[in-house]
Amino acid sequence: MRHGADYSVYINIGQEFNGSDSGTRPDEDISWGKVRAGSESVKVFADATLVCPMTVAATLAKAHGTIG
C-alpha cells in the first residue's frame, strides 16, 4: 500500500459540509496518498456498527462461494 489503496469503502455518518474528518471525499484521500488515483471507492452513509458486520459477512460468504 505504498502508493495508496486500490479499493476503499467509507462507512460513516459524517457529511462533507460539516468539516468532520470522517466526512472527507475519496478524492481528498487521493491527494494525501491514502488512495491510489483511479482506484475504486464507495461511500456508504450509515452507522458503521450496523453496516460493517453485514458487509464483512457478505464478503466472506462470497469468498467461500455461499452466495453469488
Side-chain angles (χ1 to χ4, degrees):
M1 215 169 76
R2 182 176 178 172
H3 300 288
D6 293 326
Y7 303 95
S8 60
V9 178
Y10 300 82
I11 302 173
N12 59 48
I13 56 172
Q15 299 292 322
E16 297 166 7
F17 65 85
N18 71 1
S20 70
D21 203 25
S22 63
T24 62
R25 297 183 318 266
D27 59 336
E28 188 172 334
D29 290 339
I30 291 170
S31 69
W32 282 90
K34 295 178 181 179
V35 179
R36 187 183 313 257
S39 65
E40 294 187 40
S41 299
V42 63
K43 189 163 186 178
V44 180
F45 293 98
D47 187 335
T49 60
L50 298 173
V51 176
C52 192
M54 292 186 287
T55 305
V56 171
T59 302
L60 293 173
K62 188 170 186 174
H64 292 289
T66 57
I67 63 172

